[in-house]
Amino acid sequence: MEIGDLYRDVILDHNRSPRNFGRLEPADAEAVGHNPLCGDSLAITLRLKGGRLEDVKFNGQGCAISVASASLMSEAVKGLPLTEVEALYQEVHALLTEPAHVPARPLGKLMALAGVHEFPVRVKCASLCWHTLHAALARPVTAATAPTVSTE
Ligand code: ZN
């Protein structure tokens, strides 16, 4: 399948019916992310268990790319050990920012995000959820207020 087809089909599908949309109550960690350039705003809640990302949900409002990316991310990271989540974060960052990046691991549907590279203004839309997840994991559990990240 051409990357262009994969991009269009996967992004459309995940934008139309986002997976893991909502909030976990209670959650072990939470973060809020904003992309002022586009107006995307996402909140991510997650549960941790035994060094794993046991569950994750996101909600908020954003463009098709930001919502589809968050949906794809939620599917990809759910159930993974935190070390794997971090490795995936690094891979997706490289996929979005480095031309012709060849992933060191199979990325499955996340490869659709490689298509975002053709639209530089959309890179921050696609990476917002990942930065937000990263912020949530960096300051988990008992934080009184959720950390907020901005792509600017
Ligand atoms: Zn956007």
Short mmCIF file of all heavy atoms in Angstrom, two decimals, residues 91-152:
data_model
loop_
_atom_site.label_atom_id
_atom_site.label_comp_id
_atom_site.label_asym_id
_atom_site.label_seq_id
_atom_site.Cartn_x
_atom_site.Cartn_y
_atom_site.Cartn_z
N GLU A 91 10.63 7.01 18.30
CA GLU A 91 10.45 6.59 16.91
C GLU A 91 9.50 7.51 16.16
O GLU A 91 9.76 7.91 15.03
CB GLU A 91 9.90 5.15 16.85
CG GLU A 91 10.93 4.07 17.01
CD GLU A 91 11.87 3.98 15.81
OE1 GLU A 91 11.63 4.63 14.78
OE2 GLU A 91 12.86 3.24 15.92
N VAL A 92 8.38 7.82 16.80
CA VAL A 92 7.38 8.65 16.13
C VAL A 92 7.93 10.06 15.95
O VAL A 92 7.72 10.69 14.91
CB VAL A 92 6.06 8.66 16.92
CG1 VAL A 92 5.10 9.70 16.35
CG2 VAL A 92 5.41 7.28 16.87
N HIS A 93 8.67 10.54 16.94
CA HIS A 93 9.28 11.87 16.80
C HIS A 93 10.20 11.90 15.58
O HIS A 93 10.17 12.85 14.78
CB HIS A 93 10.06 12.22 18.07
CG HIS A 93 10.60 13.61 18.07
ND1 HIS A 93 9.78 14.71 18.19
CD2 HIS A 93 11.85 14.08 17.93
CE1 HIS A 93 10.53 15.80 18.13
NE2 HIS A 93 11.79 15.44 17.98
N ALA A 94 11.00 10.84 15.41
CA ALA A 94 11.91 10.76 14.26
C ALA A 94 11.12 10.65 12.96
O ALA A 94 11.46 11.27 11.95
CB ALA A 94 12.85 9.57 14.43
N LEU A 95 10.05 9.85 13.00
CA LEU A 95 9.21 9.66 11.81
C LEU A 95 8.63 10.99 11.33
O LEU A 95 8.52 11.25 10.13
CB LEU A 95 8.08 8.69 12.17
CG LEU A 95 7.26 8.07 11.05
CD1 LEU A 95 8.12 7.13 10.21
CD2 LEU A 95 6.07 7.32 11.63
N LEU A 96 8.24 11.83 12.28
CA LEU A 96 7.59 13.09 11.95
C LEU A 96 8.58 14.19 11.55
O LEU A 96 8.22 15.12 10.83
CB LEU A 96 6.78 13.60 13.16
CG LEU A 96 5.50 12.82 13.47
CD1 LEU A 96 4.94 13.25 14.81
CD2 LEU A 96 4.46 13.04 12.37
N THR A 97 9.82 14.09 12.03
CA THR A 97 10.74 15.21 11.85
C THR A 97 11.93 14.93 10.94
O THR A 97 12.56 15.85 10.46
CB THR A 97 11.27 15.70 13.21
OG1 THR A 97 11.88 14.60 13.89
CG2 THR A 97 10.14 16.26 14.07
N GLU A 98 12.24 13.65 10.70
CA GLU A 98 13.39 13.32 9.87
C GLU A 98 12.93 12.76 8.54
O GLU A 98 12.16 11.80 8.51
CB GLU A 98 14.28 12.28 10.57
CG GLU A 98 14.93 12.79 11.84
CD GLU A 98 15.60 11.67 12.62
OE1 GLU A 98 15.84 10.60 12.04
OE2 GLU A 98 15.85 11.87 13.82
N PRO A 99 13.39 13.35 7.44
CA PRO A 99 13.00 12.83 6.13
C PRO A 99 13.46 11.39 5.97
O PRO A 99 14.58 11.06 6.34
CB PRO A 99 13.74 13.74 5.14
CG PRO A 99 14.21 14.90 5.92
CD PRO A 99 14.32 14.47 7.35
N ALA A 100 12.59 10.55 5.44
CA ALA A 100 12.94 9.16 5.12
C ALA A 100 13.47 8.38 6.31
O ALA A 100 14.37 7.56 6.18
CB ALA A 100 13.94 9.12 3.97
N HIS A 101 12.94 8.66 7.48
CA HIS A 101 13.34 7.91 8.66
C HIS A 101 12.92 6.45 8.51
O HIS A 101 11.79 6.15 8.15
CB HIS A 101 12.69 8.49 9.92
CG HIS A 101 12.93 7.67 11.14
ND1 HIS A 101 14.16 7.57 11.73
CD2 HIS A 101 12.11 6.87 11.88
CE1 HIS A 101 14.09 6.77 12.78
NE2 HIS A 101 12.85 6.33 12.89
N VAL A 102 13.84 5.55 8.78
CA VAL A 102 13.53 4.11 8.75
C VAL A 102 13.41 3.62 10.20
O VAL A 102 14.39 3.63 10.94
CB VAL A 102 14.63 3.32 8.02
CG1 VAL A 102 14.30 1.82 8.05
CG2 VAL A 102 14.77 3.81 6.59
N PRO A 103 12.21 3.26 10.62
CA PRO A 103 11.99 2.86 12.02
C PRO A 103 12.81 1.63 12.40
O PRO A 103 12.99 0.72 11.59
CB PRO A 103 10.50 2.54 12.07
CG PRO A 103 9.92 3.17 10.87
CD PRO A 103 10.98 3.19 9.83
N ALA A 104 13.26 1.60 13.63
CA ALA A 104 14.04 0.47 14.14
C ALA A 104 13.15 -0.66 14.62
O ALA A 104 13.63 -1.71 15.00
CB ALA A 104 14.94 0.95 15.29
N ARG A 105 11.85 -0.44 14.58
CA ARG A 105 10.89 -1.44 15.03
C ARG A 105 9.64 -1.32 14.17
O ARG A 105 9.39 -0.27 13.58
CB ARG A 105 10.53 -1.21 16.50
CG ARG A 105 9.94 0.19 16.71
CD ARG A 105 9.50 0.44 18.14
NE ARG A 105 10.62 0.25 19.04
CZ ARG A 105 10.54 -0.38 20.21
NH1 ARG A 105 9.39 -0.83 20.62
NH2 ARG A 105 11.59 -0.50 20.97
N PRO A 106 8.84 -2.38 14.09
CA PRO A 106 7.59 -2.27 13.32
C PRO A 106 6.63 -1.28 13.98
O PRO A 106 6.40 -1.37 15.19
CB PRO A 106 7.02 -3.69 13.38
CG PRO A 106 8.03 -4.55 14.04
CD PRO A 106 9.00 -3.68 14.75
N LEU A 107 6.10 -0.37 13.21
CA LEU A 107 5.23 0.66 13.80
C LEU A 107 3.76 0.47 13.43
O LEU A 107 2.91 1.21 13.91
CB LEU A 107 5.70 2.05 13.37
CG LEU A 107 7.08 2.48 13.89
CD1 LEU A 107 7.40 3.88 13.42
CD2 LEU A 107 7.12 2.43 15.42
N GLY A 108 3.48 -0.49 12.59
CA GLY A 108 2.08 -0.76 12.24
C GLY A 108 1.39 0.46 11.67
O GLY A 108 1.95 1.18 10.83
N LYS A 109 0.19 0.71 12.16
CA LYS A 109 -0.60 1.83 11.64
C LYS A 109 0.05 3.19 11.90
O LYS A 109 -0.28 4.19 11.24
CB LYS A 109 -1.99 1.83 12.28
CG LYS A 109 -2.93 0.80 11.71
CD LYS A 109 -4.31 1.00 12.32
CE LYS A 109 -5.26 -0.11 11.92
NZ LYS A 109 -6.52 0.01 12.68
N LEU A 110 0.95 3.25 12.88
CA LEU A 110 1.62 4.52 13.16
C LEU A 110 2.41 5.01 11.95
O LEU A 110 2.70 6.20 11.84
CB LEU A 110 2.56 4.39 14.37
CG LEU A 110 1.88 4.26 15.73
CD1 LEU A 110 2.92 3.96 16.80
CD2 LEU A 110 1.12 5.53 16.10
N MET A 111 2.74 4.08 11.03
CA MET A 111 3.46 4.49 9.83
C MET A 111 2.65 5.50 9.01
O MET A 111 3.21 6.24 8.21
CB MET A 111 3.79 3.26 8.96
CG MET A 111 5.00 2.48 9.42
SD MET A 111 6.49 3.48 9.64
CE MET A 111 6.86 3.90 7.92
N ALA A 112 1.34 5.52 9.21
CA ALA A 112 0.51 6.50 8.51
C ALA A 112 0.97 7.92 8.83
O ALA A 112 0.83 8.83 8.02
CB ALA A 112 -0.96 6.33 8.90
N LEU A 113 1.56 8.10 10.02
CA LEU A 113 2.00 9.43 10.43
C LEU A 113 3.18 9.92 9.58
O LEU A 113 3.48 11.11 9.55
CB LEU A 113 2.38 9.45 11.91
CG LEU A 113 1.21 9.18 12.87
CD1 LEU A 113 1.72 9.09 14.30
CD2 LEU A 113 0.14 10.26 12.76
N ALA A 114 3.86 8.99 8.91
CA ALA A 114 4.96 9.39 8.03
C ALA A 114 4.45 10.33 6.94
O ALA A 114 5.18 11.19 6.47
CB ALA A 114 5.64 8.17 7.41
N GLY A 115 3.17 10.17 6.56
CA GLY A 115 2.58 11.03 5.54
C GLY A 115 2.48 12.48 5.98
O GLY A 115 2.42 13.39 5.14
N VAL A 116 2.47 12.70 7.29
CA VAL A 116 2.37 14.06 7.82
C VAL A 116 3.60 14.88 7.44
O VAL A 116 3.56 16.10 7.33
CB VAL A 116 2.18 14.04 9.36
CG1 VAL A 116 2.19 15.43 9.95
CG2 VAL A 116 0.88 13.33 9.70
N HIS A 117 4.69 14.17 7.21
CA HIS A 117 5.94 14.85 6.86
C HIS A 117 5.79 15.73 5.62
O HIS A 117 6.49 16.73 5.47
CB HIS A 117 7.05 13.81 6.66
CG HIS A 117 8.40 14.40 6.75
ND1 HIS A 117 9.11 14.82 5.66
CD2 HIS A 117 9.15 14.69 7.82
CE1 HIS A 117 10.26 15.33 6.05
NE2 HIS A 117 10.31 15.27 7.36
N GLU A 118 4.85 15.38 4.75
CA GLU A 118 4.62 16.18 3.54
C GLU A 118 3.94 17.51 3.85
O GLU A 118 3.85 18.37 2.99
CB GLU A 118 3.75 15.40 2.56
CG GLU A 118 4.43 14.18 1.98
CD GLU A 118 3.47 13.36 1.12
OE1 GLU A 118 2.62 13.96 0.43
OE2 GLU A 118 3.55 12.13 1.17
N PHE A 119 3.45 17.65 5.08
CA PHE A 119 2.74 18.87 5.47
C PHE A 119 3.35 19.41 6.76
O PHE A 119 2.83 19.15 7.85
CB PHE A 119 1.25 18.58 5.68
CG PHE A 119 0.62 17.77 4.57
CD1 PHE A 119 0.46 16.39 4.69
CD2 PHE A 119 0.20 18.39 3.40
CE1 PHE A 119 -0.10 15.65 3.66
CE2 PHE A 119 -0.36 17.65 2.37
CZ PHE A 119 -0.51 16.28 2.50
N PRO A 120 4.46 20.16 6.63
CA PRO A 120 5.21 20.58 7.82
C PRO A 120 4.36 21.29 8.87
O PRO A 120 4.59 21.12 10.07
CB PRO A 120 6.27 21.53 7.24
CG PRO A 120 6.43 21.09 5.82
CD PRO A 120 5.09 20.60 5.38
N VAL A 121 3.36 22.03 8.44
CA VAL A 121 2.53 22.77 9.40
C VAL A 121 1.73 21.81 10.27
O VAL A 121 1.26 22.16 11.35
CB VAL A 121 1.62 23.78 8.65
CG1 VAL A 121 0.48 23.06 7.93
CG2 VAL A 121 1.09 24.83 9.60
N ARG A 122 1.58 20.56 9.79
CA ARG A 122 0.79 19.57 10.53
C ARG A 122 1.61 18.74 11.50
O ARG A 122 1.04 17.94 12.25
CB ARG A 122 0.09 18.63 9.55
CG ARG A 122 -1.00 19.29 8.74
CD ARG A 122 -2.15 19.68 9.63
NE ARG A 122 -3.24 20.27 8.88
CZ ARG A 122 -4.11 21.13 9.40
NH1 ARG A 122 -3.99 21.49 10.66
NH2 ARG A 122 -5.07 21.62 8.68
N VAL A 123 2.92 18.90 11.47
CA VAL A 123 3.76 18.06 12.33
C VAL A 123 3.42 18.28 13.80
O VAL A 123 3.32 17.34 14.59
CB VAL A 123 5.26 18.29 12.05
CG1 VAL A 123 6.13 17.64 13.12
CG2 VAL A 123 5.63 17.74 10.68
N LYS A 124 3.19 19.54 14.18
CA LYS A 124 2.85 19.82 15.58
C LYS A 124 1.49 19.27 15.96
O LYS A 124 1.25 18.92 17.11
CB LYS A 124 2.92 21.32 15.84
CG LYS A 124 4.35 21.82 15.93
CD LYS A 124 4.44 23.28 16.26
CE LYS A 124 5.91 23.66 16.45
NZ LYS A 124 6.06 25.09 16.71
N CYS A 125 0.59 19.20 14.99
CA CYS A 125 -0.73 18.59 15.24
C CYS A 125 -0.55 17.11 15.57
O CYS A 125 -1.15 16.60 16.51
CB CYS A 125 -1.62 18.73 14.01
SG CYS A 125 -1.89 20.43 13.49
N ALA A 126 0.29 16.44 14.78
CA ALA A 126 0.48 15.00 14.95
C ALA A 126 1.28 14.67 16.20
O ALA A 126 1.10 13.62 16.80
CB ALA A 126 1.16 14.42 13.72
N SER A 127 2.19 15.56 16.59
CA SER A 127 3.07 15.25 17.72
C SER A 127 2.49 15.71 19.06
O SER A 127 2.99 15.31 20.11
CB SER A 127 4.45 15.88 17.52
OG SER A 127 4.37 17.27 17.43
N LEU A 128 1.42 16.51 19.02
CA LEU A 128 0.86 17.06 20.26
C LEU A 128 0.52 15.97 21.28
O LEU A 128 0.88 16.07 22.46
CB LEU A 128 -0.39 17.89 19.95
CG LEU A 128 -1.12 18.46 21.16
CD1 LEU A 128 -0.25 19.48 21.88
CD2 LEU A 128 -2.44 19.11 20.74
N CYS A 129 -0.17 14.93 20.85
CA CYS A 129 -0.59 13.88 21.79
C CYS A 129 0.62 13.18 22.41
O CYS A 129 0.60 12.81 23.58
CB CYS A 129 -1.49 12.87 21.09
SG CYS A 129 -0.74 12.04 19.67
N TRP A 130 1.68 13.01 21.61
CA TRP A 130 2.86 12.32 22.12
C TRP A 130 3.57 13.18 23.16
O TRP A 130 4.03 12.68 24.18
CB TRP A 130 3.81 11.97 20.96
CG TRP A 130 3.25 10.88 20.10
CD1 TRP A 130 2.47 11.03 18.98
CD2 TRP A 130 3.38 9.47 20.31
NE1 TRP A 130 2.13 9.79 18.49
CE2 TRP A 130 2.68 8.83 19.27
CE3 TRP A 130 4.05 8.69 21.27
CZ2 TRP A 130 2.61 7.43 19.16
CZ3 TRP A 130 3.99 7.31 21.15
CH2 TRP A 130 3.28 6.69 20.12
N HIS A 131 3.69 14.48 22.90
CA HIS A 131 4.30 15.37 23.89
C HIS A 131 3.46 15.40 25.18
O HIS A 131 4.00 15.45 26.29
CB HIS A 131 4.43 16.79 23.33
CG HIS A 131 5.46 16.91 22.25
ND1 HIS A 131 6.77 16.53 22.42
CD2 HIS A 131 5.37 17.36 20.98
CE1 HIS A 131 7.44 16.74 21.30
NE2 HIS A 131 6.61 17.24 20.41
N THR A 132 2.15 15.35 25.00
CA THR A 132 1.26 15.40 26.16
C THR A 132 1.38 14.12 26.98
O THR A 132 1.45 14.15 28.22
CB THR A 132 -0.19 15.62 25.69
OG1 THR A 132 -0.24 16.75 24.84
CG2 THR A 132 -1.12 15.84 26.87
N LEU A 133 1.43 12.99 26.29
CA LEU A 133 1.61 11.70 26.99
C LEU A 133 2.95 11.70 27.75
O LEU A 133 3.02 11.27 28.91
CB LEU A 133 1.61 10.56 25.97
CG LEU A 133 1.90 9.15 26.53
CD1 LEU A 133 0.76 8.68 27.42
CD2 LEU A 133 2.14 8.15 25.40
N HIS A 134 3.97 12.21 27.10
CA HIS A 134 5.30 12.27 27.69
C HIS A 134 5.26 13.12 28.97
O HIS A 134 5.85 12.75 29.99
CB HIS A 134 6.26 12.88 26.67
CG HIS A 134 7.67 12.43 26.83
ND1 HIS A 134 8.69 13.31 27.06
CD2 HIS A 134 8.22 11.20 26.80
CE1 HIS A 134 9.82 12.62 27.17
NE2 HIS A 134 9.57 11.34 27.01
N ALA A 135 4.56 14.24 28.90
CA ALA A 135 4.44 15.13 30.07
C ALA A 135 3.70 14.42 31.21
O ALA A 135 4.07 14.55 32.38
CB ALA A 135 3.73 16.42 29.68
N ALA A 136 2.67 13.68 30.86
CA ALA A 136 1.91 12.97 31.89
C ALA A 136 2.77 11.91 32.57
O ALA A 136 2.75 11.75 33.79
CB ALA A 136 0.67 12.30 31.27
N LEU A 137 3.57 11.21 31.79
CA LEU A 137 4.42 10.15 32.33
C LEU A 137 5.59 10.71 33.14
O LEU A 137 6.10 10.06 34.04
CB LEU A 137 4.96 9.26 31.21
CG LEU A 137 3.94 8.33 30.56
CD1 LEU A 137 4.52 7.67 29.32
CD2 LEU A 137 3.45 7.29 31.55
N ALA A 138 5.98 11.93 32.81
CA ALA A 138 7.12 12.53 33.50
C ALA A 138 6.74 13.02 34.90
O ALA A 138 7.59 13.26 35.74
CB ALA A 138 7.68 13.70 32.68
N ARG A 139 5.46 13.17 35.14
CA ARG A 139 5.04 13.74 36.42
C ARG A 139 3.75 13.07 36.88
O ARG A 139 2.69 13.68 36.94
CB ARG A 139 4.82 15.25 36.24
CG ARG A 139 4.65 16.01 37.54
CD ARG A 139 4.93 17.50 37.27
NE ARG A 139 4.39 18.34 38.30
CZ ARG A 139 3.18 18.88 38.26
NH1 ARG A 139 2.38 18.67 37.23
NH2 ARG A 139 2.77 19.65 39.25
N PRO A 140 3.85 11.76 37.16
CA PRO A 140 2.62 11.01 37.41
C PRO A 140 2.08 11.08 38.84
O PRO A 140 2.68 11.71 39.72
CB PRO A 140 3.03 9.58 37.08
CG PRO A 140 4.48 9.52 37.34
CD PRO A 140 5.03 10.91 37.16
N VAL A 141 1.02 10.44 39.00
CA VAL A 141 0.35 10.03 40.23
C VAL A 141 -0.16 11.17 41.10
O VAL A 141 -1.26 11.62 40.93
CB VAL A 141 1.21 9.05 41.04
CG1 VAL A 141 0.40 8.41 42.16
CG2 VAL A 141 1.74 7.93 40.14
N THR A 142 0.67 11.71 41.97
CA THR A 142 0.10 12.55 43.01
C THR A 142 0.16 14.05 42.70
O THR A 142 -0.10 14.87 43.56
CB THR A 142 0.83 12.32 44.34
OG1 THR A 142 2.23 12.47 44.13
CG2 THR A 142 0.55 10.92 44.87
N ALA A 143 0.52 14.40 41.48
CA ALA A 143 0.59 15.82 41.14
C ALA A 143 -0.75 16.51 41.41
O ALA A 143 -1.80 15.99 41.06
CB ALA A 143 0.98 15.99 39.68
N ALA A 144 -0.69 17.64 42.05
CA ALA A 144 -1.92 18.34 42.40
C ALA A 144 -2.63 18.87 41.17
O ALA A 144 -3.84 18.83 41.07
CB ALA A 144 -1.60 19.48 43.36
N THR A 145 -1.86 19.35 40.22
CA THR A 145 -2.47 19.84 38.99
C THR A 145 -1.76 19.20 37.80
O THR A 145 -0.57 18.95 37.84
CB THR A 145 -2.34 21.37 38.86
OG1 THR A 145 -0.96 21.72 39.02
CG2 THR A 145 -3.17 22.08 39.90
N ALA A 146 -2.52 18.94 36.77
CA ALA A 146 -1.96 18.30 35.60
C ALA A 146 -0.98 19.24 34.90
O ALA A 146 -1.26 20.42 34.76
CB ALA A 146 -3.07 17.92 34.64
N PRO A 147 0.16 18.70 34.46
CA PRO A 147 1.08 19.53 33.69
C PRO A 147 0.47 19.92 32.36
O PRO A 147 -0.33 19.18 31.79
CB PRO A 147 2.31 18.65 33.49
CG PRO A 147 1.82 17.26 33.69
CD PRO A 147 0.64 17.33 34.60
N THR A 148 0.83 21.08 31.86
CA THR A 148 0.34 21.55 30.57
C THR A 148 1.53 21.74 29.64
O THR A 148 2.54 22.31 30.05
CB THR A 148 -0.40 22.89 30.73
OG1 THR A 148 -1.49 22.69 31.63
CG2 THR A 148 -0.94 23.38 29.40
N VAL A 149 1.43 21.24 28.45
CA VAL A 149 2.50 21.45 27.48
C VAL A 149 1.96 22.27 26.32
O VAL A 149 0.77 22.23 26.02
CB VAL A 149 3.09 20.13 26.94
CG1 VAL A 149 3.73 19.34 28.05
CG2 VAL A 149 2.04 19.29 26.25
N SER A 150 2.84 23.02 25.72
CA SER A 150 2.48 23.77 24.53
C SER A 150 3.53 23.49 23.47
O SER A 150 4.71 23.35 23.79
CB SER A 150 2.43 25.27 24.82
OG SER A 150 2.23 25.97 23.60
N THR A 151 3.10 23.37 22.23
CA THR A 151 4.05 23.04 21.17
C THR A 151 4.83 24.27 20.73
O THR A 151 5.71 24.17 19.91
CB THR A 151 3.31 22.45 19.94
OG1 THR A 151 2.31 23.34 19.56
CG2 THR A 151 2.73 21.10 20.29
N GLU A 152 4.51 25.43 21.25
CA GLU A 152 5.26 26.63 20.87
C GLU A 152 6.51 26.78 21.71
O GLU A 152 6.52 26.41 22.87
CB GLU A 152 4.39 27.87 21.02
CG GLU A 152 3.52 28.10 19.82
CD GLU A 152 2.97 29.52 19.75
OE1 GLU A 152 2.73 30.12 20.80
OE2 GLU A 152 2.77 30.01 18.63
#
